[in-house]
Amino acid sequence: MAKKGILLINLGSPRSTSVEDVKEYLDEFLMDEKVIDYRWIFRALLVQGIILKTRPAKSAEAYKTVWTDEGSPLIVITKKIQQKLQKIVDIPVEIGMRYAEPSIETGIRNLVEKGITEIVLFPLYPQYAMSTTETVIEKAEEVRKKKFPGVRINYVQPFYNRDLYTDCLAESIREKLPENFDALLFSYHGVPERHIYKTDPTKTCNMNDCCSKDSHPSHAFCYRHQCFNTTERVIKKLGLPKDKVIVSFQSRLGKDKWMEPYTDHTLETIPQQGIKNLAIVCPAFVSDCLETLEEISVEGKESFLEAGGENFSYIPCLNDEDPWIEVIRNLCEEQLNQFYLI
């Protein structure tokens, strides 16, 4: 009889804050063609010829500001999620990272060594993107075919529009919202605009038209639509008027056109529009990490206050909150049940 297990996948993190470890991590991350989608030679010239000569030292300093005694916040939180989930399910739970260790291969191997032959793999990304969900599934399938051909994998699909997730997110935000705020900013991780079109197998996407429609063939693969849809669902549950809500996109890299508006520019300009008391949440992430703890709650706060803002409230990710663990369990159980239908 087949034995089942769960593998939770997150982005990954350097092993330490040393420049060499950060450089090794960035090399693997940025050389992924799903992250920087240039031809290999041009990607190598950009990443290894330019970025890795300057960025690792700066990134290492940024990591030092968020590093904990236990290690990388992203890894620590993912382990806490694993431990809490393991207490409420009766099958093995492991973790893997798309980049660095523990790798996806390590996670699958740990399950296989426990006799597992059917795995529910959960990419911990609410919205679908080429540089998140797609690269995780592609890597997992590559590893499975090469190293574990006897293993079957079911994947938890993006869950941005599932009520059990948006209910959980809305309640988490509600608990942490300050009493007085002028606006709630939803800051999502950005992607180059061309990624939106490249990930659309229907070839029907038009960012000037289709994202706001109730239904469109491209929506299942459109990160931009899914970000706006997440926001709409959450603010409806919170009962917030649309004029108190802002959506922006952070963490752009290079000179290509990324999705707009940009978070950094937004934080620098909204105080002049009368928004002095800001709450901000980052729903592209379920676990706090460098992009939330340093880029937003440190650098973003500084930019907002220097531009004339008065109060800046960062709302943490779901992390290992108990209601979120229940959401993970339910989404995994749905895929566990799918094995019986195959």
Side-chain angles (χ1 to χ4, degrees):
M1 183 176 178
K3 292 186 64 178
K4 297 174 176 58
I6 296 170
L7 182 60
L8 305 173
I9 304 295
N10 221 326
L11 178 70
S13 180
R15 287 179 293 184
S16 76
T17 60
S18 75
V19 174
E20 283 306 308
D21 282 346
V22 172
K23 183 177 182 179
E24 180 182 358
Y25 170 75
L26 290 177
D27 188 26
E28 182 182 2
F29 173 42
L30 297 177
M31 282 301 292
D32 182 354
E33 65 178 352
K34 300 294 184 181
V35 175
I36 296 180
D37 56 327
Y38 298 160
R39 290 172 55 189
W40 183 88
I41 185 63
F42 297 114
R43 188 164 68 251
L45 287 171
L46 173 64
V47 175
Q48 297 170 350
I50 300 175
I51 295 176
L52 294 185
K53 292 187 182 300
T54 57
R55 185 161 177 166
K58 182 179 179 181
S59 294
E61 290 302 311
Y63 273 109
K64 287 176 183 177
T65 68
V66 303
W67 214 258
T68 72
D69 292 340
E70 299 168 280
S72 159
L74 180 71
I75 304 293
V76 170
I77 291 168
T78 308
K79 287 180 178 178
K80 288 180 177 178
I81 293 172
Q82 173 199 14
Q83 292 161 4
K84 282 193 170 184
L85 182 63
Q86 186 65 82
K87 290 179 180 178
I88 60 173
V89 299
D90 58 2
I91 60 175
V93 180
E94 293 288 343
I95 65 172
M97 300 291 146
R98 175 58 185 88
Y99 310 103
E101 289 290 339
S103 65
I104 290 175
E105 181 176 338
T106 298
I108 295 176
R109 177 174 291 108
N110 288 342
L111 288 172
V112 169
E113 289 177 351
K114 295 176 181 178
I116 303 303
T117 56
E118 295 180 339
I119 296 172
V120 168
L121 189 148
F122 192 161
L124 292 169
Y125 306 109
Q127 300 85 20
Y128 181 93
M130 184 169 81
S131 55
T132 55
T133 311
E134 186 173 317
T135 189
V136 165
I137 293 174
E138 184 177 275
K139 183 65 175 181
E141 284 300 308
E142 175 189 316
V143 170
R144 184 189 65 80
K145 290 174 182 178
K146 288 184 178 179
K147 301 291 182 70
F148 310 101
V151 170
R152 291 201 298 171
I153 299 179
N154 276 352
Y155 296 92
V156 175
Q157 298 302 310
F159 46 93
Y160 71 98
N161 60 351
R162 298 292 303 274
D163 280 333
L164 76 172
Y165 163 68
T166 52
D167 285 345
C168 177
L169 178 58
E171 286 308 307
S172 179
I173 293 171
R174 191 193 308 276
E175 292 172 0
K176 302 173 183 68
L177 268 176
E179 287 188 15
N180 299 304
F181 64 97
D182 300 322
L184 173 60
L185 172 60
F186 286 72
S187 178
Y188 292 89
H189 200 288
V191 300
E193 285 191 352
R194 67 175 180 277
H195 281 202
I196 303 299
Y197 294 109
K198 290 185 74 168
T199 55
D200 174 24
T202 70
K203 303 305 177 187
T204 61
C205 180
N206 179 346
M207 283 190 289
N208 296 321
D209 176 56
C210 63
C211 282
S212 60
K213 290 184 176 179
D214 290 337
S215 178
H216 194 272
S218 68
H219 283 176
F221 305 95
C222 180
Y223 176 71
R224 186 173 183 269
H225 160 76
Q226 294 180 13
C227 291
F228 284 114
N229 190 267
T230 302
T231 304
E232 289 175 7
R233 290 170 180 272
V234 170
I235 65 173
K236 184 176 181 180
K237 295 174 189 296
L238 290 172
L240 292 178
K242 289 188 177 181
D243 61 4
K244 285 198 83 168
V245 175
I246 305 168
V247 176
S248 63
F249 299 91
Q250 66 184 81
S251 311
R252 67 187 186 277
L253 174 69
K255 297 181 180 180
D256 293 318
K257 185 172 176 54
W258 285 49
M259 291 192 304
E260 295 180 317
Y262 300 139
T263 295
D264 53 2
H265 178 71
T266 300
L267 292 173
E268 292 166 359
T269 56
I270 56 176
Q272 282 71 52
Q273 301 167 19
I275 297 173
K276 303 292 186 178
N277 303 293
L278 182 70
I280 183 167
V281 65
C282 300
F285 305 94
V286 297
S287 308
D288 276 310
C289 54
L290 184 71
E291 286 82 359
T292 64
L293 298 173
E294 196 272 340
E295 182 179 352
I296 296 300
S297 59
V298 176
E299 287 190 2
K301 179 180 181 178
E302 184 177 292
S303 296
F304 177 73
L305 297 179
E306 286 181 353
E310 296 174 2
N311 295 293
F312 182 99
S313 299
Y314 170 66
I315 297 173
C317 295
L318 292 170
N319 293 327
D320 64 334
E321 294 178 9
D322 290 342
W324 167 230
I325 304 303
E326 283 294 327
V327 171
I328 295 173
R329 179 180 66 83
N330 286 326
L331 291 172
C332 287
E333 285 183 350
E334 289 178 358
Q335 291 306 311
L336 286 168
N337 292 332
Q338 289 299 312
F339 281 117
Y340 297 108
L341 302 177
I342 297 175

